[in-house]
Amino acid sequence: MTAYGSAARAFAELVHRIPADAWERPGLGEWDVRALVGHASRSLTTVLTYLQTRAEREDVTSAAQYYRLVTPEALGIDPADVAERGRQAGRDLGADPAAAVDDLVAQTLEAAAAAGDPLISVIGGQGIRLRNYLPTRVFELVVHSLDIARALDLSFTPPPDALEEALVLAAQVAADGQGVPVLMALTGREPLPPSFSIV
């Protein structure tokens, strides 16, 4: 919860630094900056939404397992639908995206802090404990905050606790099938191939 709060607040602070004329600039892939920010903000809105659900069984027992089992690719979701959700989330931020993100951060952190550790139902109807879902949202907030900063040439350093959690999760995901090339790269022995990704 602490790292999630750090990542969410850092994301909100970064959004405040986006120039007024930059929202339609290229963001990431087919997203402009507004859509990229919208997609990142879904790491807040999904928590709010999923906190209203309860699952009957725990299908996913770790954040790393989430990235193996509960992803658009694993669930057969069309990437075009994912892209459109990002665009819609960007539109939903309205005329003052920074204020909208501030409100989302406040609402989400308050709700998550009060929730305890419920067994929630996430995409695909999979049950997962909140404590295992939040690290996936830390990862998304950290990575997409870096994407936003890079797209606009803004300086940004993730909070240490959020960055560490994101890196640990990345290593855990990589260990399932891609651990050797990642370890070799991290120890300076071999470079990773172009566009290598663990997700």
Side-chain angles (χ1 to χ4, degrees):
M1 184 64 204
T2 301
Y4 181 64
S6 296
R9 286 186 286 268
F11 166 62
E13 290 167 5
L14 177 63
V15 172
H16 274 277
R17 295 168 52 207
I18 295 175
D21 64 352
W23 290 94
E24 295 182 1
R25 293 184 196 171
L28 178 69
E30 61 188 277
W31 284 326
D32 61 11
V33 170
R34 176 179 281 274
L36 176 56
V37 171
H39 176 74
S41 75
R42 286 177 50 77
S43 289
L44 304 166
T45 58
T46 55
V47 172
L48 278 176
T49 299
Y50 294 155
L51 282 174
Q52 305 305 311
T53 70
R54 290 296 179 269
E56 295 182 0
R57 63 183 183 278
E58 189 174 8
D59 303 297
V60 183
T61 58
S62 72
Q65 187 186 24
Y66 174 93
Y67 275 110
R68 291 192 289 272
L69 297 180
V70 191
T71 63
E73 294 78 11
L75 296 174
I77 297 173
D78 188 339
D81 292 339
V82 176
E84 179 53 32
R85 284 188 194 125
R87 286 190 288 268
Q88 184 58 55
R91 291 190 290 268
D92 290 345
L93 294 175
D96 191 346
V101 168
D102 284 343
D103 288 344
L104 281 173
V105 168
Q107 292 175 45
T108 305
L109 295 185
E110 181 180 3
D117 188 28
L119 185 59
I120 58 176
S121 179
V122 297
I123 185 171
Q126 301 292 302
I128 184 173
R129 290 285 173 192
L130 180 63
R131 70 173 181 271
N132 291 323
Y133 181 65
L134 287 182
T136 72
R137 301 308 91 190
V138 173
F139 181 87
E140 297 290 331
L141 285 166
V142 168
V143 170
H144 290 310
S145 292
L146 290 166
D147 288 334
I148 294 162
R150 191 168 82 164
L152 297 174
D153 199 24
L154 297 173
S155 62
F156 176 75
T157 301
D161 57 346
L163 179 59
E164 180 178 347
E165 186 151 302
L167 283 167
V168 168
L169 178 53
Q172 290 171 338
V173 174
D176 183 23
Q178 302 183 93
V180 171
V182 169
L183 184 60
M184 296 296 280
L186 288 174
T187 54
R189 282 153 173 81
E190 293 181 11
L192 290 170
S195 301
F196 176 90
S197 177
I198 58 156
V199 293

